[in-house]
């Protein structure tokens, strides 16, 4: 599960799925696609758990 940060709202629908259609008709689709791609990449960077493995003796 990813974490939504302040400002992420514009990239998501209310169900949490990503918006692939630009927010306005004047917005270039290619630019929006790149922004969504970078946004999704940021999710992946934050999803990697920081696990500390301890050996129990």
């Amino acid at each position: 599960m990813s974490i939504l940060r302040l400002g992420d709202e514009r990239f998501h629908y209310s169900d949490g799925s990503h918006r692939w259609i630009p927010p306005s008709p004047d917005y270039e689709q290619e630019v929006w696609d790149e922004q969504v791609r970078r946004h999704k990449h940021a999710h992946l960077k934050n999803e990697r758990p920081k696990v500390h493995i301890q050996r129990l003796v």
Side-chain angles (χ1 to χ4, degrees):
M1 176 158 181
S2 59
I3 298 170
L4 291 177
R5 295 173 301 211
L6 188 62
D8 284 352
E9 304 86 15
R10 71 187 201 131
F11 293 109
H12 293 268
Y13 291 109
S14 61
D15 68 355
S17 63
H18 285 97
R19 291 181 187 262
W20 289 102
I21 297 174
S24 90
D26 298 331
Y27 216 100
E28 289 187 38
Q29 183 69 50
E30 289 180 10
V31 172
W32 181 253
D33 289 345
E34 178 63 18
Q35 289 177 341
V36 172
R37 187 190 68 76
R38 288 181 185 193
H39 167 75
K40 288 183 73 175
H41 184 72
H43 276 309
L44 294 175
K45 287 193 321 188
N46 291 329
E47 284 182 356
R48 293 192 181 116
K50 294 179 178 141
V51 178
H52 299 286
I53 300 174
Q54 295 180 352
R55 185 174 175 188
L56 299 176
V57 185

